[in-house]
Amino acid sequence: MRAGSIGLMGVLHLAMVTAQAQEPAQKEQATTKLPSMTVTAEQQPVATLGIEAAREEVNLTPGGVTLVDGEILRDRNISSLADMLRYVPGLFIQSDSGGDGIFFSSRGSNLDATDFDMNGIMLLQNGLPVTSADGNNHNRIIDPLSTRYAIVARGANGMKYGASTLGGAINFINPTAYDMPGVRLYLNGGSFGQVQGRATVSKVFDNRFDGLLTVETKQRQGYRSHNQSRRTGAYANAGWRISQSLGTRIYLNYINNNQQLPGSLTRAQFKDDPDQAGTNALKGNFQIDVEAFRVANKTTWQIDEHQSLDFGVSYEKQRLYHPIVADFSVPGVPDEFIAFDGLLIETDHRDLGAVVRYEHQIANHNLLFGANYRIGDVKGQQYGNDHGHPGGLQALINQHANTLQAYVMDRWNIGNDDWTLVPAVQIVNANRELDNTDVDDFGVETENHTDGHYFGVNPRLGLLYHVQSGFDLFANVSRL
């Protein structure tokens, strides 16, 4: 374009000089006919949200919201979500053994929960909930290196995604073929036997169809005994640009993650050797093995320049094998003479979710209407832990949950563009039902049933004042 522009200016200048040298009578006859020029431009697919648009979204939020650019992660040693989100203000994320198992807290949430639940914060991929209907994340591992960027919306700022959890929400956006080159290879190695590699291939077809596939593997010996981990995964998405205003994309994820758990140490054990595994962890062969498959679809319709509609569905199937409790160490008594219980969890999880969001710009109001609906089931068994193998049957597990989160939010420019008022309200309706059957040592079954219904209204009011470029003041009052 630049070379063409210079050539065009040269032709015009030459024509002007020639015209000035001719007589007035000849000026009417002297004409210069320029060649026609055609300018074309590509429109970005409506099914993708660029990182620049996401940054603008963050700037319009009156509260603590952080954008994590996935590209900068490749310059660091990133092996888990704890590494990815380590420097995000307001988050405390730590792995007790350096593997994928993490303890998660955002703004004080989840402090009294177990690592398995990882509740108190809502996780999403591409705007579709990953968190189960019961509010827990159930060892759901999101690969940080398969994230183009992530938006961390702490507290009530997560209401934009329908989150009603104290810690807010984190939305992980996957890359597409429009974001990445055709082939990308990544290899990483580190201490304690850490090796991870991944390969990504992607292609855009006629600016209407695109596809991306990533396969990855990671293994780690760990810095403690009984601390090995191994993970393989495949992540794919494909998009179809149906028209200039309508696009859809399907996402597929598969993860097989096996981890040994070193367990806890007493103070005396830690002083003696901080890298050793706990006694019960070795005898009970503590581990957490998760195999998960997820399929999701999201469609975006840009109705006109003032209206847009997003809707999507997701389904996830997860298998958990989890020997976790063993307490049969009695001083002076051989193990074979001790009645052994322990706990080994073997369950299947099913989660189905649906999301709809409608945005409408009316004068100086930017209205957002949205709803999330999720259904989740957990079925399986609990056994005694016979050195990492199922012992006697202890319980049959049958749990059901459904949650509806509906919300409306307005970004209202008042006075001038420097002031933005953000009122919002959310309605949460949830049901929990447990049908567990306890089995004693003689095989006698005892059925236990309990259920609960919950309803809540969460209001929010935020105010944002834009002082100057890069400097904003905000206030936010909310209930969660």
Side-chain angles (χ1 to χ4, degrees):
M1 288 295 292
R2 291 183 178 178
S5 299
I6 294 173
L8 178 60
M9 291 298 295
V11 172
L12 291 175
H13 178 71
L14 179 60
M16 292 174 62
V17 172
T18 304
Q20 290 175 357
Q22 294 175 338
E23 294 296 327
Q26 297 176 328
K27 288 183 180 180
E28 296 180 0
Q29 301 176 358
T31 59
T32 302
K33 185 177 180 180
L34 300 178
S36 61
M37 178 182 297
T38 302
V39 179
T40 61
E42 284 188 358
Q43 180 178 346
Q44 286 296 322
V46 296
T48 61
L49 174 64
I51 189 171
E52 295 305 324
R55 286 194 175 97
E56 182 64 22
E57 180 75 20
V58 169
N59 293 334
L60 295 175
T61 303
V65 182
T66 301
L67 188 144
V68 181
D69 189 343
E71 286 299 312
I72 66 174
L73 302 180
R74 302 181 186 279
D75 298 328
R76 294 159 46 190
N77 183 14
I78 302 297
S79 63
S80 69
L81 286 182
D83 297 326
M84 176 184 184
L85 303 173
R86 186 179 308 278
Y87 303 110
V88 176
L91 296 189
F92 174 76
I93 305 178
Q94 185 63 49
S95 171
D96 58 2
S97 59
D100 285 331
I102 60 174
F103 180 85
F104 204 119
S105 177
S106 171
R107 287 190 168 179
S109 67
N110 196 35
L111 290 178
D112 59 347
T114 63
D115 292 355
F116 168 76
D117 293 324
M118 280 204 311
N119 56 23
I121 193 164
M122 184 176 181
L123 304 182
L124 307 98
Q125 281 186 305
N126 308 295
L128 303 174
V130 169
T131 299
S132 300
D134 60 7
N136 295 323
N137 290 300
H138 293 311
N139 297 290
R140 178 61 168 91
I141 305 301
I142 296 178
D143 177 31
L145 294 177
S146 291
T147 300
R148 176 60 188 91
Y149 63 90
I151 298 177
V152 183
R154 297 178 287 280
N157 301 298
M159 188 180 292
K160 178 184 183 298
Y161 305 103
S164 56
T165 43
L166 178 64
I170 303 180
N171 187 22
F172 298 87
I173 305 298
N174 292 131
T176 70
Y178 292 94
D179 301 317
M180 303 183 68
V183 178
R184 171 177 280 179
L185 302 176
Y186 177 85
L187 181 64
N188 174 279
S191 55
F192 308 109
Q194 176 179 305
V195 178
Q196 59 179 332
R198 57 197 306 115
T200 299
V201 293
S202 61
K203 187 173 179 59
V204 178
F205 303 90
D206 194 30
N207 203 36
R208 291 180 60 84
F209 302 94
D210 71 278
L212 179 145
L213 171 65
T214 296
V215 292
E216 62 105 10
T217 182
K218 184 184 78 168
Q219 62 182 15
R220 187 174 184 272
Q221 187 67 29
Y223 63 88
R224 295 180 61 187
S225 300
H226 198 71
N227 192 194
Q228 295 184 33
S229 62
R230 183 178 67 257
R231 187 182 78 198
T232 57
Y235 319 98
N237 65 76
W240 176 23
R241 181 179 168 187
I242 303 172
S243 69
Q244 295 290 335
S245 60
L246 183 64
T248 188
R249 185 168 296 277
I250 187 170
Y251 302 89
L252 298 172
N253 290 344
Y254 172 78
I255 298 173
N256 192 341
N257 190 31
N258 299 320
Q259 300 179 71
Q260 292 180 331
L261 304 178
S264 58
L265 300 176
T266 65
R267 183 181 294 273
Q269 290 174 325
F270 182 82
K271 287 184 177 180
D272 180 58
D273 180 8
D275 296 338
Q276 67 177 309
T279 303
N280 288 341
L282 289 174
K283 293 183 177 181
N285 193 16
F286 289 1
Q287 56 190 290
I288 178 169
D289 300 338
V290 178
E291 185 177 21
F293 172 77
R294 184 174 189 265
V295 57
N297 174 258
K298 183 180 179 182
T299 300
T300 299
W301 179 22
Q302 189 69 43
I303 302 173
D304 56 36
E305 60 178 336
H306 300 296
Q307 301 178 79
S308 64
L309 177 66
D310 289 343
F311 53 93
V313 294
S314 61
Y315 172 77
E316 181 164 332
K317 175 183 178 182
Q318 183 187 124
R319 176 86 173 164
L320 173 68
Y321 186 83
H322 192 26
I324 189 55
V325 176
D327 189 9
F328 52 96
S329 299
V330 178
V333 180
D335 294 341
E336 59 266 24
F337 296 109
I338 298 175
F340 172 69
D341 285 322
L343 177 62
L344 185 151
I345 302 172
E346 191 172 16
T347 52
D348 291 304
H349 299 239
R350 303 287 189 276
D351 289 284
L352 178 66
V355 170
V356 60
R357 294 187 181 94
Y358 171 70
E359 193 167 357
H360 196 173
Q361 179 76 42
I362 304 176
N364 54 348
H365 294 269
N366 190 350
L367 298 170
L368 174 64
F369 301 87
N372 300 337
Y373 184 67
R374 288 166 289 159
I375 302 174
D377 291 288
V378 179
K379 294 183 179 181
Q381 302 81 34
Q382 291 182 355
Y383 300 96
N385 184 0
D386 185 7
H387 301 277
H389 301 284
L393 181 64
Q394 294 183 349
L396 301 174
I397 306 300
N398 188 357
Q399 304 174 0
H400 175 80
N402 63 76
T403 300
L404 172 65
Q405 300 161 315
Y407 54 97
V408 58
M409 183 170 66
D410 181 21
R411 286 195 179 98
W412 180 12
N413 291 328
I414 55 177
N416 54 52
D417 291 340
D418 293 335
W419 290 91
T420 303
L421 188 67
V422 186
V425 65
Q426 179 190 59
I427 296 176
V428 182
N429 188 76
N431 294 283
R432 305 287 185 263
E433 186 174 356
L434 308 177
D435 287 299
N436 293 349
T437 302
D438 294 332
V439 182
D440 64 17
D441 294 337
F442 302 98
V444 178
E445 298 182 354
T446 303
E447 295 184 358
N448 299 293
H449 174 84
T450 184
D451 57 65
H453 175 257
Y454 309 91
F455 180 82
V457 178
N458 298 324
R460 177 194 181 190
L461 183 63
L463 182 64
L464 182 68
Y465 176 59
H466 180 69
V467 180
Q468 62 183 30
S469 178
F471 181 32
D472 296 323
L473 299 175
F474 68 88
N476 194 18
V477 179
S478 58
R479 178 188 185 273
L480 288 175

